[in-house]
Amino acid sequence: PVPAIRIATTPAVGSFVYAQFHSIPACPTTPVADGLISREAEHTVRFLLTALVTAGETVTIQLSEYELSGNGVSAGSTTSVGNFFWRFANEQLVIELQSNLLAQQELQLVIPASAGLLVPRDGLRQGDSRLSIATNSRAGPVPPVPFDELQAIGATVRSPFARFNPLCYESTASLEVEFSFEMDLAANDIIVLEADAFQSEDPTVQDVEHSADWTTRVLRIGTNNRVSIHVSRPIGRGTDLRVVFPGIERMASLDIELTVTAEAGNIMCPVLFQAEAPLCADVFIRVSSIDYTPRIASALAALDLAFILATTLATDTEITVSLPGFYSEAGASGEYEAEEIVQSPSGLFKVRWSSFEVVLVATRPTTSLVNVSMQIPAKLHVPDSGVVENQQNLIITISGNARAIESSPPVGVFTDSAISFTPRVAGEPSEITIEFEFNRVMLQGEVVEVFLEGFSGSAIDGIVSEVDGQTFKGSWSESFTTLFLTVDEPSFEIAAGTPVKIVVPVESGVTISAGGVSATQSLLLISTDAEAGPVEWTAIQDTADAEILAYRCRHKEISVSGGTTCNGQHTVRVCASSDAAVDQFITTVARPELEAITDDTCVGQSESFCNALSVPGFEGPSFENCCNVLGVNSYAMCVSDDDCKIDMAAGTIPEAPEVAQVSELCCHVCEALRGSPGAGFCSGANFSEAEAACKAESCSKGDACYGRLFTFVEVPIDPEQGGTAALAEGFGVTAPPGVWPKDKLASVTVLESISPPSDPAAPQPAGAPVFFGPSGTVFPEPGVVISLPFDGSSANGSAAVFKFDESLQEWVKHVFEPVEQNGMLVVKTLSFSQYASFVVPTPALVTTTPAPETAGPETTRAVEIPPDQTLAPPFQPSSTPEGQDSMVLLIVIGAGGGVLLVCLLVACFLYRKTLFGPRAPNKDGGREGTLSESLIGPGGDSGSASGSASQGRASGSHDSAPIRRAGSGGRAVPPQPSMMEVAPTMIIQSDLVMADGSEPPSYAPSEMDREEAEERFMEVSRGDLGDLGDITLVGPGPAAPQQPRLGSVQEPEMEPEPEMGPEMGPGRMAGGELVSRQDTRKRNLKVGAAGGADAGPARGRAGQ
């Protein structure tokens, strides 16, 4: 006997306490098309071993008939557990542990559906022997053993099949379905079918026919299109089952989905039945629609196509969409690139196009019931006649079976649409006329909208248009620049094709764009919301009468040479839309006309003017007037933009289409040409005859005329009613009733600008001087009002009017204060002369010191002000900081008072010496001449100022205007009109020659002194009257020692003061430097040059 002994060597054997494998299907978004189950799933492995598994040892899971799609668990995949390998040959999943797995330690591994591990095609059964688990652990290896727990998955043996009888769309039919399963069915398992065919209001028991008695009931489940089939007894694997549903009320789709809840394995993801191909054409396409963007007739439009495909399509199957009336450019055709088409499902069709149709070509097989939508880029035009709602000839065809597209939106058309404006003036209100025919019915309450780009005008309601029994009522929206016009009458409808006319009155205030209207570039649009055919914004067709140029008054200089009568510089002023248009006018009209004028043609033209009078008489040609051609010189079309508000209906100049056509001569120019006495080419002319002759030729008294006077005008003024003589820019004279003398013509002449003085502290010219005639005319109170150009600013001083003193050859300040209005200075006067606008700078404080007395008989103290001296500005008191001692303020006040007291004492002393000092004798023992003496020339002859003036004008010089006479006996005259703006005028009113040719009137002393007296009275009222004797005129005699011209102070002898003339006003200009009366009193400036060399001809009062 052998006692029990221990076996020395035994192999280790391990075991799994439990092992579980679950596969949960991952259902796709669309049913499986091949009729089988969805094989994608998420897998979970969970197990517990009795023995240790060390790092590097493996656990192997046998998954027979599983497939791997992709590289989800290929060799090299790593997790925190270990490395994973899929052995394709053995269909095994191998887990190589990276760390020890202790005995009795659970391990759970999740393999996501994205790893691509697919379940068997026939699903899984409980205890399926194809799945096992094993380990090679040295501590306790386990051979392959089945899983304790396995998730069963059901499957169909073959694709389920469905057949409708009949197959036509939306007809009553019976439905037969057939299916079988890879698993056994037990009692109470449920098969669910889902399809549009099972729509029902209430859940009811469905009567069915079925093979064998295997079902207890068939029940419709609510309103969710489902039918549940309850199994009544066990059914073996692979048994063919058939169910027939009679009297299906509506067959909206062939698609039927199947799911199963069974003990042997669920089919969780819907399986799609295969359906018999339909025999009726209607079943191919359903719920089809087409749209076009924009919905505008004749417009190139993108297409939006949508339909439900209720059948299967093979690759390369074509669907043709026929679109009669649509067309491509020149019959072109082509194929879209794939990326050009936005479609769903993506990439399902290729698309090609040609005139009248679009063809879709399937790129892959399809199942039935596919919702197709696509946006097709614009290659076709919408029909010129629009589209009727749900137009029946828009057809979609598959394999020869055609069906009308169910939904297509209407598109209406405005035919013969037109718009016009009256008047056609940019920036002005206008009457608007809209005309059209509409090819659809227009009902009461429907709206026509008209968009007018750039137009303005306050928003207004209550616009009414009543034309030919058609009434439209509406409103204007300024923010949208749109007219909204609603059909009011007739009360029912406006028939298709009826001519419609809408007139928006000018009283509505709708204003044309200030920039004008371009018939080709401006947006003039029309639309309607008519139900029978709405029209989106579309361009109005006829805009020929809507073209409106934005005229502006434009001027350019033109030089004419070549020996013609009109040689020289000329100014062109026309109403044009651009500077380029002015250039075109100069090239094609102005220059050729000027170059064609000769002396002979000028004589003929002048005679024709005179011959229009009742008693013609010709004295000679006016060459200057002959060179006034259309738009040039005095025949200018405009002065400002206001003159260019010309109705486009007047037309444009053919040779320059962007220049306004102005065909009438301004009446005042026509009358001046024929009716100015002494004008030089019509004898015996008078205004009444000229007026009648001009009216006979239809001259224009309105804005649209040519003949704008810029430098000279001469018109009669009625003494009893008064009147105005003014240039085109507004400069002139206005006389009230009872002031103007009888039989006198008022003349206004703009002269050459004044050169500014070198002394910046002196008054500065601020506008061209203006001469008013007849020269020497005086007026009783209340006088006349004159208007002068003013281009200065009162910011640096005060605006003032100065009058040219002919006797002194100086500008002296006018006694009346002006008012600034519209770029002019307006002032009262009692006599005619030459006037100009000035700006008088604010005077600075000047401290003078006595200069050394000069030797000789004339004792003079001069005050020198260096030209570069900077005068300190008046003292400006500043605010005292908070908390400063009040004594500082008292000290400042005391010091200031002391300074003022010293200045006052010095001023009194100087004033006394000036007033009572001796008058310096001349070298010949005589005294300085009195005022009357100064007006007599050498030898006692009266100076002929008239002759000098005439000679000065005849010279044609246009240099800067001299302020004083210079040289020996020479006398400067007021400058002449600028030839750059206009040619010499018909008559230039001389300073000393009356318009009627008579001798000029003489000033009586009372007349001469009235303005001076008024000024003295005004100064007395102000309390600042000074002694006018401080200002002296030096007559002929030996020259005195040279003294500084600016700032010198003379000490005259004690003798009676000279008589003062009316022109010795409060300010005058001496030696080219203009000073105010205030400066004259302070500095006692000596005016006029002493000595015979500068005496010149006498300055007679009669000339002034």
Side-chain angles (χ1 to χ4, degrees):
V2 178
I5 61 174
R6 188 177 185 86
I7 300 174
T9 301
T10 57
V13 177
S15 66
F16 286 93
V17 177
Y18 58 80
Q20 301 171 352
F21 189 88
H22 292 172
S23 292
I24 302 175
C27 297
T29 56
T30 58
V32 179
D34 58 5
L36 301 178
I37 64 171
S38 174
R39 300 178 63 197
E40 295 180 357
E42 178 184 279
H43 311 281
T44 303
V45 181
R46 184 169 171 265
F47 59 85
L48 183 69
L49 280 167
T50 58
L52 170 69
V53 182
T54 61
E57 297 177 337
T58 63
V59 175
T60 302
I61 302 173
Q62 182 68 46
L63 298 173
S64 299
E65 298 187 28
Y66 274 72
E67 295 180 16
L68 183 66
S69 172
N71 299 320
V73 289
S74 61
S77 298
T78 303
T79 69
S80 59
V81 176
N83 297 324
F84 294 82
F85 303 90
W86 174 257
R87 292 174 178 168
F88 285 92
N90 299 327
E91 297 178 337
Q92 292 176 339
L93 180 65
V94 179
I95 307 171
E96 181 182 355
L97 299 179
Q98 289 184 334
S99 58
N100 295 339
L101 180 64
L102 302 178
Q104 302 296 323
Q105 181 181 357
E106 182 182 82
L107 176 65
Q108 178 172 307
L109 174 66
V110 177
I111 304 172
S114 60
L117 189 59
L118 306 180
V119 300
R121 292 181 178 276
D122 59 353
L124 293 175
R125 313 283 86 77
Q126 285 286 353
D128 200 314
S129 60
R130 293 174 294 180
L131 277 67
S132 63
I133 186 170
T135 180
N136 66 354
S137 169
R138 291 188 298 272
V142 179
V145 296
F147 283 95
D148 301 312
E149 184 177 316
L150 188 65
Q151 174 70 49
I153 298 176
T156 58
V157 175
R158 60 179 181 272
S159 298
F161 184 80
R163 179 186 297 110
F164 289 91
N165 186 24
L167 291 177
C168 294
Y169 176 62
E170 290 186 349
S171 60
T172 302
S174 63
L175 171 62
E176 179 181 355
V177 294
E178 294 180 0
F179 43 81
S180 62
F181 301 101
E182 292 285 358
M183 70 283 189
D184 296 332
L185 291 180
N188 298 320
D189 286 350
I190 299 175
I191 302 169
V192 177
L193 306 179
E194 183 173 353
D196 288 346
F198 301 127
Q199 290 182 3
S200 176
E201 296 296 331
D202 301 305
T204 60
V205 175
Q206 174 70 52
D207 295 329
V208 296
E209 299 176 5
H210 49 81
S211 56
D213 187 14
W214 57 269
T215 176
T216 56
R217 61 178 178 170
V218 177
L219 182 67
R220 289 181 178 174
I221 306 174
T223 59
N224 56 4
N225 305 337
R226 290 184 180 182
V227 170
S228 63
I229 303 173
H230 295 252
V231 178
S232 60
R233 60 178 176 82
I235 300 175
R237 175 180 179 272
T239 303
D240 291 330
L241 302 175
R242 181 177 65 88
V243 180
V244 178
F245 299 88
I248 297 298
E249 297 177 359
R250 188 174 75 177
M251 186 194 69
S253 170
L254 297 179
D255 293 338
I256 302 175
E257 298 175 5
L258 175 144
T259 57
V260 177
T261 302
E263 183 179 340
N266 299 332
I267 300 178
M268 302 174 59
C269 299
V271 177
L272 194 64
F273 278 69
Q274 287 187 345
E276 188 175 52
L279 301 178
C280 300
D282 290 351
V283 82
F284 283 93
I285 297 293
R286 54 177 296 234
V287 194
S288 55
S289 66
I290 191 170
D291 201 352
Y292 4 89
T293 304
R295 295 180 183 176
I296 301 175
S298 306
L300 192 64
L303 301 179
D304 290 328
L305 182 65
F307 57 87
I308 296 176
L309 185 64
T311 187
T312 58
L313 291 180
T315 303
D316 294 331
T317 301
E318 293 187 355
I319 299 176
T320 301
V321 182
S322 299
L323 303 171
F326 288 73
Y327 59 94
S328 61
E329 294 287 350
S333 61
E335 183 172 334
Y336 295 101
E337 298 294 334
E339 60 271 13
E340 293 183 89
I341 306 294
V342 179
Q343 58 177 309
S344 176
S346 178
L348 181 58
F349 293 101
K350 294 184 296 183
V351 182
R352 65 176 186 263
W353 57 273
S354 62
S355 284
F356 312 119
E357 69 178 18
V358 172
V359 179
L360 317 179
V361 182
T363 60
R364 60 178 182 267
T366 66
T367 63
S368 60
L369 197 62
V370 178
N371 289 292
V372 177
S373 64
M374 59 178 58
Q375 297 175 5
I376 303 174
K379 295 293 184 181
L380 299 180
H381 291 260
V382 178
D384 295 339
S385 58
V387 181
V388 176
E389 185 174 16
N390 303 331
Q391 189 164 306
Q392 292 300 300
N393 65 346
L394 306 181
I395 303 296
I396 187 167
T397 304
I398 301 178
S399 302
N401 296 291
R403 180 181 178 87
I405 296 177
E406 299 173 21
S407 174
S408 57
V411 175
V413 179
F414 287 109
T415 59
D416 299 326
S417 59
I419 189 169
S420 59
F421 306 99
T422 305
R424 294 162 59 191
V425 180
E428 295 295 310
S430 177
E431 177 184 276
I432 303 173
T433 302
I434 305 146
E435 299 180 81
F436 59 83
E437 292 182 11
F438 187 53
N439 71 340
R440 302 284 186 267
V441 172
M442 188 171 288
L443 304 178
Q444 184 184 36
E446 294 179 339
V447 179
V448 174
E449 299 179 8
V450 180
F451 177 80
L452 303 173
E453 181 185 28
F455 280 52
S456 61
S458 301
I460 184 174
D461 288 322
I463 296 175
V464 178
S465 170
E466 294 180 325
V467 180
D468 299 333
Q470 300 166 352
T471 302
F472 285 78
K473 295 182 179 179
S475 62
W476 162 256
S477 169
E478 183 178 18
S479 57
F480 294 104
T481 65
T482 300
L483 285 165
F484 298 90
L485 304 165
T486 303
V487 179
D488 186 70
E489 291 291 342
S491 58
F492 179 63
E493 67 179 37
I494 298 176
T498 302
V500 175
K501 184 175 182 179
I502 303 173
V503 178
V504 179
V506 67
E507 292 77 16
S508 300
V510 182
T511 301
I512 296 172
S513 169
V517 178
S518 170
T520 57
Q521 298 180 1
S522 298
L523 290 179
L524 304 175
L525 309 177
I526 188 170
S527 69
T528 181
D529 63 353
E531 182 179 353
V535 180
E536 295 183 6
W537 289 116
T538 184
I540 296 175
Q541 296 164 322
D542 184 0
T543 57
D545 290 337
E547 181 80 25
I548 300 174
L549 296 176
Y551 292 136
R552 291 182 55 194
C553 187
R554 301 174 186 269
H555 70 279
K556 287 194 173 185
E557 307 305 327
I558 174 176
S559 178
V560 177
S561 59
T564 67
T565 301
C566 296
N567 279 0
Q569 295 293 114
H570 301 270
T571 301
V572 176
R573 280 181 177 260
V574 291
C575 294
S577 61
S578 66
D579 289 340
V582 182
D583 293 335
Q584 185 179 19
F585 174 83
I586 290 174
T587 301
T588 60
V589 179
R591 190 186 303 277
E593 287 193 22
L594 290 171
E595 292 176 346
I597 295 173
T598 65
D599 292 354
D600 292 340
T601 59
C602 182
V603 172
Q605 178 183 349
S606 301
E607 287 181 323
S608 66
F609 280 121
C610 298
N611 290 337
L613 298 175
S614 58
V615 184
F618 178 58
E619 293 185 349
S622 173
F623 294 105
E624 292 80 9
N625 285 317
C626 289
C627 295
N628 292 333
V629 299
L630 176 64
V632 179
N633 294 343
S634 293
Y635 277 14
M637 293 184 189
C638 59
V639 178
S640 66
D641 291 346
D642 288 340
D643 298 323
C644 292
K645 294 180 179 180
I646 300 173
D647 194 338
M648 283 290 297
T652 59
I653 292 177
E655 297 85 355
E658 293 186 20
V659 177
Q661 177 71 273
V662 178
S663 57
E664 295 180 344
L665 186 65
C666 301
C667 285
H668 64 273
V669 176
C670 177
E671 293 162 2
L673 289 172
R674 293 190 171 98
S676 297
F681 58 93
C682 290
S683 62
N686 64 71
F687 268 96
S688 59
E689 293 178 355
E691 183 178 12
C694 291
K695 286 182 177 179
E697 295 180 3
S698 301
C699 65
S700 174
K701 290 185 176 292
D703 294 330
C705 64
Y706 63 93
R708 308 286 177 170
L709 299 179
F710 288 89
T711 61
F712 176 80
V713 67
E714 186 179 46
V715 298
I717 293 181
D718 190 327
E720 296 182 0
Q721 298 182 2
T724 298
L727 296 170
E729 293 176 298
F731 317 138
V733 58
T734 299
V739 170
W740 191 259
K742 293 182 179 181
D743 302 325
K744 299 294 183 182
L745 297 176
S747 68
V748 180
T749 306
V750 177
L751 305 177
E752 193 76 25
S753 298
I754 306 171
S755 297
S758 59
D759 183 3
Q764 302 294 314
V770 180
F771 179 81
F772 296 91
S775 175
T777 304
V778 294
F779 306 99
E781 287 289 356
V784 296
V785 176
I786 57 175
S787 302
L788 304 170
F790 182 63
D791 52 16
S793 172
S794 301
N796 300 322
S798 59
V801 170
F802 277 65
K803 182 177 182 178
F804 190 76
D805 189 321
E806 192 70 31
S807 62
L808 301 176
Q809 289 291 283
E810 294 175 2
W811 287 96
V812 295
K813 188 176 180 182
H814 189 43
V815 296
F816 298 109
E817 294 297 325
V819 176
E820 186 176 348
Q821 292 180 359
N822 302 324
M824 298 183 291
L825 290 187
V826 180
V827 70
K828 167 187 173 181
T829 186
L830 299 175
S831 63
F832 269 175
S833 182
Q834 185 182 159
Y835 293 86
S837 300
F838 281 78
V839 173
V840 180
T842 302
L845 293 178
V846 180
T847 302
T848 61
T849 56
E853 294 183 2
T854 58
E858 183 176 1
T859 58
T860 306
R861 292 184 178 180
V863 177
E864 296 274 336
I865 300 179
D868 59 347
Q869 178 176 346
T870 302
L871 302 179
F875 172 70
Q876 300 278 343
S878 60
S879 59
T880 302
E882 184 176 356
Q884 184 172 332
D885 197 312
S886 61
M887 287 300 294
V888 175
L889 179 61
L890 295 177
I891 291 173
V892 171
I893 294 174
V899 172
L900 292 176
L901 180 60
V902 171
C903 291
L904 180 62
L905 292 175
V906 172
C908 291
F909 172 76
L910 293 176
Y911 180 82
R912 180 177 179 82
K913 286 180 65 77
T914 302
L915 183 62
F916 299 107
R919 185 179 300 275
N922 294 327
K923 287 184 178 181
D924 58 0
R927 300 289 184 179
E928 290 183 343
T930 62
L931 177 61
S932 59
E933 292 170 344
S934 70
L935 297 178
I936 306 298
D941 295 333
S942 298
S944 175
S946 176
S948 299
S950 300
Q951 293 172 5
R953 286 207 169 90
S955 67
S957 172
H958 300 289
D959 296 333
S960 299
I963 303 304
R964 291 183 59 84
R965 56 189 174 181
S968 177
R971 176 174 179 271
V973 298
Q976 300 304 302
S978 170
M979 289 295 290
M980 290 295 291
E981 181 59 54
V982 295
T985 54
M986 302 76 72
I987 174 170
I988 300 298
Q989 181 64 42
S990 171
D991 293 10
L992 304 175
V993 178
M994 296 302 294
D996 56 3
S998 62
E999 291 295 326
S1002 297
Y1003 281 111
S1006 61
E1007 293 173 345
M1008 292 289 292
D1009 296 337
R1010 279 193 310 124
E1011 287 191 2
E1012 182 70 16
E1014 289 198 19
E1015 183 207 8
R1016 294 172 65 87
F1017 177 77
M1018 292 165 63
E1019 289 183 341
V1020 169
S1021 300
R1022 293 195 301 265
D1024 60 354
L1025 178 63
D1027 190 343
L1028 299 182
D1030 298 344
I1031 303 175
T1032 63
L1033 290 173
V1034 180
Q1042 183 67 34
Q1043 297 295 330
R1045 302 291 302 196
L1046 180 62
S1048 63
V1049 178
Q1050 299 290 338
E1051 293 184 356
E1053 294 181 358
M1054 294 294 295
E1055 69 178 44
E1057 295 298 324
E1059 178 185 0
M1060 301 304 298
E1063 303 309 316
M1064 298 185 63
R1068 62 192 60 177
M1069 181 168 287
E1073 304 288 345
L1074 191 149
V1075 297
S1076 68
R1077 170 175 275 282
Q1078 180 181 4
D1079 294 334
T1080 306
R1081 289 198 303 272
K1082 286 184 178 179
R1083 307 179 191 176
N1084 198 19
L1085 295 181
K1086 181 178 180 181
V1087 296
D1094 197 30
R1099 311 180 192 99
R1101 287 184 180 174
Q1104 185 62 11

